[in-house]
Amino acid sequence: MNRVRAAAPQLAGLVPYDPKYLPAEAYLSANENPRDVDAEVRAVIAKRIAEVPLNRYPDPLANRLRDMIAEANGLDRACVLVGNGGDELLFDLALAWGGPGRSFLNLPPTFSVYEANARLTNTRCVNVPRREDFSIDEEAVLARVAAGDIDFVIVTSPNNPTGLRAPVAFIEQLLAATDALVLVDEAYFEFSRETVRPLLEANENLVILRTFSKAFSLAGVRLGYILANPAVIEEFLKVRQPYSVDALSQVVGEVVFEMRARFEPGIREIIEERARVAEALRTLPGVTVYPSDSNWVLLSLEGADEAWQYLYDRGILVRDFSRAPMLEGCLRATVGTPEQNDAFVGTLRAFIIERNGMRAQAARLEEGR
Ligand SMILES: *Cc1c(COP(=O)(O)O)cnc(C)c1O
């Protein structure tokens, strides 16, 4: 036998996740922190890593880091679970609350990983699309959960890639309206300065997802966590890979979490730069800028795919959503360092001037014929 039978049917037509991470000078495509951890944090990490026994399995639950996160959030250890990036925990969610005959409520356009996880686990994905301005259609969501067949919902706040927070009052209403598990994805809450953490005690059906990948410069390390009620954490424990968080990542996470105050000036700068970039982009003719509570700016313009190529040819990598459903003509630019942001805005301006110049020239030629 030299042939292989087909893979599981739910994989048919599924495309592997592609971050479209190409070599560039300015990486403004993946919402990473433009600054790496500083030299002092790195030195402490190096020292601590040198002491890690590599021949032993790691603590399956990363309990030291877990306790630090619990304490910082005023919670018990039993309310925290650390994962191999937020992505692992999102998959665990689909394993634990999804499956054949189960339903997931999605609010597109949003993070594409949610829907992919639903497909992989044979979970039905029910979409309640956002409005034209990307705000949540709150009445439609509340009406849909009232049908009683939804098993879990993901509300991203701020929403990737559109940028704005979900209103806390709405999340509160949603939690009260359903017994479905509601995961609030707070991957970017450090940039919005808003969390639904205060709703945890009163709502057994709330899970909050956070990550070290964005504000804390650790996208390369793979650490995320959830905050939830112990009964919910128990279900996640049943489906998770026991050793998903390796010993080195645990130590890196402990050091960075301990020293997290040092990241605060960088976060503040990103928030300030976000306003500066948005304002500069708004002066460009034909560019629509969507308001953002996060570390990127979503914009739309005619010829977005050409603009993406023009930027990329000049060393600036942004995320092209121009052909994504509901995001036609959109680009997402992560807020980088002030220099990177200037280069991005300046290059986009040059693209628009060149293109408009060529159009004017073409029109003149047309007239003169
Ligand atoms: C980045 C991101 C995550 C988590 O990313 P990890 O690197 O896997 O921790 C989760 N949700 C959204 C919306 C994100 O953008």
Side-chain angles (χ1 to χ4, degrees), residues 153-265:
V153 187
I154 302 180
V155 182
T156 320
S157 185
N159 185 49
N160 180 10
T162 60
L164 286 184
R165 281 167 296 175
V168 173
F170 163 69
I171 294 172
E172 220 172 341
Q173 256 182 310
L174 176 61
L175 289 163
T178 179
D179 65 351
L181 189 66
V182 177
L183 182 136
V184 178
D185 186 339
E186 293 190 342
Y188 301 96
F189 94 107
E190 292 90 350
F191 306 105
S192 70
R193 311 284 197 193
E194 190 172 85
T195 173
V196 292
R197 160 67 191 89
L199 305 183
L200 209 49
E201 279 81 358
N203 297 281
E204 226 178 273
N205 55 338
L206 172 62
V207 188
I208 299 168
L209 178 76
R210 304 231 183 109
T211 178
F212 282 74
S213 296
K214 314 289 169 35
F216 297 109
S217 302
L218 291 185
V221 172
R222 314 307 305 131
L223 278 174
Y225 61 93
I226 51 170
L227 307 177
N229 287 280
V232 170
I233 299 285
E234 277 298 318
E235 301 302 325
F236 274 74
L237 292 179
K238 295 177 190 172
V239 299
R240 72 183 292 270
Q241 296 291 313
Y243 298 113
S244 62
V245 186
D246 66 84
L248 302 182
S249 297
Q250 292 188 25
V251 163
V252 176
E254 287 164 27
V255 173
V256 163
F257 201 77
E258 220 163 69
M259 300 176 88
R260 65 190 180 281
R262 290 172 163 259
F263 291 80
E264 191 48 40

Side-chain angles (χ1 to χ4, degrees), residues 17 57 59 70 114 119 155 169 172 177 196 222 232 235 269 272 304 307 337 342 352:
Y17 183 80
Y57 280 100
D59 175 350
Y114 310 147
R119 279 184 70 171
V155 182
E172 220 172 341
V196 292
R222 314 307 305 131
V232 170
E235 301 302 325
E269 185 188 79
E272 285 162 16
T337 63
D342 286 343
I352 291 168

